[in-house]
Amino acid sequence: MRNGAAHSPGNSMENCRLLVVDDNPAVAEVAAAMVQSLGGEGRTTTRVSGLLDAIANWSPTHIAIDLAMPDIDGVEVMNMLARRRCSARIIICSGMAEEVLAAAMRTASANGLDVAGMLPKPFKLQQLKALLAARSPAAAAGNPLAGQVPATVKAPAPTPAELRRALESGAIFPMFMPKVECSSGKLAGFETSARWRHLPFGVLSAGQFIALAERSGLIAALTESINEQALSWLGRTYPSGSIGLTLRISPASLGDLALVDALTRHCEQAALDPHRVTLQISEAAAMSETANSLQLLTRLRIRGFKLSLGNFGVGYLSLAQLVRLPFSELIMDPSLCGAAGDTADGRAVAKAVVGLGKSLGLTVTAAGIESAERLLYFCELGCDCATGFFIAKPMEAAALTEWVSRLRGAVSNRWEKLLSGSL
């Protein structure tokens, strides 16, 4: 395994340590030499054993992985890194078609790896430099469009009894993810999701307990608690104006007609106009349309609430269903927004989805935005709003005041630069 030392003190790459995993030593040496020319360190290995040794003893900041290896392919390598919870940024290298690299990127991201991007062969210095210089979405500290959230931790599967006690004690609480207008960068509202402050395991994400709530019959109580807390906060913090709030509805709640009266009551108690509140259901839930769910959605619209279709683009909702259900907003799935920047096919699909939403008179929101380039792309496509880690991560209510203050102080100049392409 080759070892190169940094040689340019003060260079922005001086803390960069790139490990190149490639079965062709000559090709790997090229990438290692490139990072050294930029002032960082480069090492190469052709074997998995060398990869594991470097992770344990050298702690690379970036790992460039060739997809085509003779004894183990790049996807298997990434699965192994995911199991070991590797924190290095992953660069996917290959001479294969762009679509293959894009699919590998999505696979790595789905497994929880921090993917910097893809580097087609033959390597180009400027492409490698851009990937090494790009910050991880999780490390966007100082970005006025990026918020912080306590890290979640792995915990044993909770039980229904534990969840019931958590609801009774107030340990279930809302997190708020900011949504901004694409045309101006101004705050449009917040999307709400549930969290569980679990002792001793820290903050649990919704994905760790929502299915349990649905199976155990506690989803109605959980939904009631989150909605009441979130709407009360919005009424106190933004008693007037156009700042909106999006609340998620579980598929298991689509037959709960009592939800309409409960939401109306919470809005009255918080002195909120229902027009400022959007209820989001997933595309998968909309596909299982029933008489009760259609009645629920219709009654919500009659009361003045808005409806959004979330995760659009990953299911098989027919156009007939989309037109028949009374939606006011279409939220593009993060995987669809991610694919738009990876391949020509992905961009074509994203353009078609935005055009469909606009032709139906729906507000179109791009979700999962993780870079300025991706945000600019969807602004140019004509999206109305955007959310994602580049803008901000979900935050507790206490952290939002400071974030909103920083946004107002920076957004005008930042958005002008973004839309002009100079950001």
Side-chain angles (χ1 to χ4, degrees):
M1 182 159 42
R2 182 176 184 270
N3 181 12
H7 66 270
S8 180
N11 190 297
S12 61
M13 295 288 177
E14 63 183 359
N15 295 319
C16 177
R17 296 181 299 279
L18 172 66
L19 177 66
V20 187
V21 184
D22 197 302
D23 67 318
N24 187 328
V27 171
E29 289 286 342
V30 170
M34 283 181 175
V35 72
Q36 289 179 192
S37 73
L38 295 171
E41 295 183 61
R43 292 189 181 186
T44 69
T45 182
T46 60
R47 298 183 179 276
V48 172
S49 58
L51 167 65
L52 298 180
D53 178 70
I55 292 174
N57 301 309
W58 190 53
S59 299
T61 59
H62 296 73
I63 301 175
I65 302 172
D66 181 24
L67 291 183
M69 302 278 284
D71 53 346
I72 179 173
D73 66 52
V75 173
E76 290 180 276
V77 173
M78 290 188 288
N79 287 338
M80 180 182 64
L81 293 177
R83 289 193 297 271
R84 292 171 177 268
R85 298 185 183 181
C86 178
S87 61
R89 302 210 74 195
I90 305 301
I91 298 173
I92 298 173
C93 305
S94 180
M96 295 183 178
E98 185 180 88
E99 291 78 8
V100 178
L101 270 70
M105 282 181 61
R106 292 194 291 274
T107 298
S109 296
N111 283 335
L113 293 175
D114 184 0
V115 182
M118 54 186 177
L119 184 65
K121 294 181 180 180
F123 302 140
K124 295 182 179 179
L125 179 63
Q126 289 305 312
Q127 288 180 325
L128 178 60
K129 181 179 180 181
L131 290 173
L132 296 175
R135 290 182 300 173
S136 166
N143 180 352
L145 297 177
Q148 299 297 319
V149 59
T152 59
V153 292
K154 293 289 183 181
T159 66
E162 288 178 315
L163 179 55
R164 187 176 291 106
R165 288 194 295 271
L167 286 167
E168 292 170 352
S169 66
I172 307 295
F173 65 97
M175 296 279 274
F176 302 91
M177 176 174 249
K179 175 193 291 188
V180 297
E181 297 176 357
C182 285
S183 61
S184 65
K186 293 180 180 178
L187 182 66
F190 304 94
E191 292 185 355
T192 308
S193 57
R195 295 293 188 273
W196 179 350
R197 205 181 308 281
H198 188 294
L199 297 176
F201 296 108
V203 178
L204 305 187
S205 67
Q208 293 173 278
F209 59 89
I210 291 297
L212 171 65
E214 293 172 338
R215 291 194 306 268
S216 59
L218 293 172
I219 191 63
L222 190 153
T223 300
E224 172 88 359
S225 175
I226 291 295
N227 290 352
E228 182 177 14
Q229 292 180 68
L231 291 170
S232 177
W233 171 82
L234 185 67
R236 293 193 310 271
T237 311
Y238 299 96
S240 60
S242 60
I243 301 298
L245 186 70
T246 297
L247 303 170
R248 288 181 169 86
I249 300 180
S250 162
S253 298
L254 287 178
D256 183 8
L257 299 182
L259 181 63
V260 178
D261 291 334
L263 284 165
T264 302
R265 182 176 67 256
H266 294 324
C267 282
E268 290 174 348
Q269 292 171 346
L272 284 173
D273 186 334
H275 285 89
R276 293 175 61 190
V277 181
T278 301
L279 289 310
Q280 178 184 331
I281 67 172
S282 67
E283 182 179 8
M287 287 168 59
S288 58
E289 175 190 338
T290 65
N292 275 349
S293 64
L294 183 58
Q295 182 182 155
L296 173 70
L297 299 177
T298 303
R299 290 183 64 198
L300 286 169
R301 289 305 305 272
I302 292 173
R303 297 287 181 94
F305 296 98
K306 297 176 182 178
L307 294 176
S308 69
L309 179 63
N311 307 113
F312 186 78
V314 296
Y316 299 93
L317 185 71
S318 70
L319 291 180
Q321 287 175 299
L322 180 60
V323 173
R324 185 164 58 245
L325 295 170
F327 292 110
S328 50
E329 179 185 25
L330 185 155
I331 301 177
M332 299 174 65
D333 188 79
S335 65
L336 182 61
C337 293
D342 298 336
T343 67
D345 288 344
R347 289 188 288 273
V349 171
K351 184 177 181 180
V353 169
V354 174
L356 173 63
K358 303 298 282 187
S359 68
L360 294 175
L362 304 177
T363 297
V364 180
T365 296
I369 300 300
E370 295 191 351
S371 68
E373 293 76 17
R374 197 60 50 85
L375 180 57
L376 176 59
Y377 176 75
F378 282 99
C379 287
E380 292 175 340
L381 274 190
C383 282
D384 299 286
C385 297
T387 65
F389 284 4
F390 174 73
I391 297 164
K393 287 186 176 183
M395 289 174 273
E396 292 191 54
L400 281 172
T401 301
E402 179 185 355
W403 184 89
V404 172
S405 176
R406 287 190 289 123
L407 176 74
R408 287 173 175 163
V411 72
S412 179
N413 182 52
R414 186 177 181 83
W415 224 254
E416 288 179 4
K417 290 182 178 180
L418 172 68
L419 296 179
S420 68
S422 60
L423 182 63

